[in-house]
C-alpha cells in the first residue's frame, strides 16, 4: 500500500493519492471531526461504513457495504460513515483523497478499531 501526499495547507486541508494492491485492506478506522472525499481513479474498492450510536460505550450502528468504481466518490462526514474499512478489488485500487481539515495531533486524527461482538 502506498500513500503519495500531493498538497496540504496546515489545519485547512490535505490532498493525497492512495494506491492499494489487489485485495489490500485499510483496516476499520475513523477521521474524527473531519470530512473526507475519496474519488476512485482506477480499479474499485469495497467500503464498509458505520456510525457511532453511543461513543462512550463504543457502540456503532450496523455496517453498510458498497462497491465504489471510477469515477464515483465516497464521502465521509464527521457524523456519517465516519468509521470505515476499505478493501481494494481484484485489480487493486487507486483513489484521490481530500481531507478537510488536515490531520493534526489533537482533534483531527485517525483511530483504528477492532470489531468485537
Amino acid at each position: 500500500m502506498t500513500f503519495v501526499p500531493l498538497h496540504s495547507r496546515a489545519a485547512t486541508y490535505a490532498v493525497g493519492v492512495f494506491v492499494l494492491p489487489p485485495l489490500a485492506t485499510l483496516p476499520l478506522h475513523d477521521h474524527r471531526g473531519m470530512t473526507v472525499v475519496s474519488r476512485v481513479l482506477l480499479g474499485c474498492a469495497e467500503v464498509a461504513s458505520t456510525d457511532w450510536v453511543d461513543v462512550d460505550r463504543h457502540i456503532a450502528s450496523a455496517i453498510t457495504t458498497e462497491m465504489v468504481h471510477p469515477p464515483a466518490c465516497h464521502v465521509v462526514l464527521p457524523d456519517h460513515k465516519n468509521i470505515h474499512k476499505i478493501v481494494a478489488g481484484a485489480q487493486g485500487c487507486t483513489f484521490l483523497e481530500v481531507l478537510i481539515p488536515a490531520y493534526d495531533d489533537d482533534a483531527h486524527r485517525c483511530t483504528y478499531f477492532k470489531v468485537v461482538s
Side-chain angles (χ1 to χ4, degrees):
M1 179 174 342
T2 303
F3 178 72
V4 180
L6 298 177
H7 186 74
S8 66
R9 181 159 285 148
T12 306
Y13 68 91
V15 180
V17 173
F18 272 98
V19 180
L20 281 67
L23 307 176
T25 299
L26 281 172
L28 193 65
H29 65 283
D30 71 357
H31 299 276
R32 188 172 302 165
M34 300 169 75
T35 297
V36 180
V37 178
S38 302
R39 180 167 183 173
V40 177
L41 304 173
L42 298 168
C44 66
E46 179 182 81
V47 181
S49 305
T50 187
D51 298 303
W52 287 120
V53 173
D54 185 334
V55 176
D56 296 330
R57 296 187 327 165
H58 295 112
I59 298 172
S61 62
I63 293 177
T64 60
T65 303
E66 63 182 306
M67 286 300 293
V68 185
H69 300 271
C73 292
H74 178 76
V75 178
V76 170
L77 301 172
D79 61 352
H80 183 67
K81 297 184 177 182
N82 197 275
I83 305 167
H84 56 276
K85 174 176 91 169
I86 300 170
V87 180
Q91 304 300 314
C93 183
T94 300
F95 58 93
L96 178 73
E97 188 160 89
V98 179
L99 299 108
I100 305 164
Y103 285 121
D104 61 32
D105 293 332
D106 298 318
H108 307 108
R109 62 184 184 274
C110 182
T111 303
Y112 290 90
F113 301 96
K114 182 169 89 173
V115 177
V116 294
S117 42

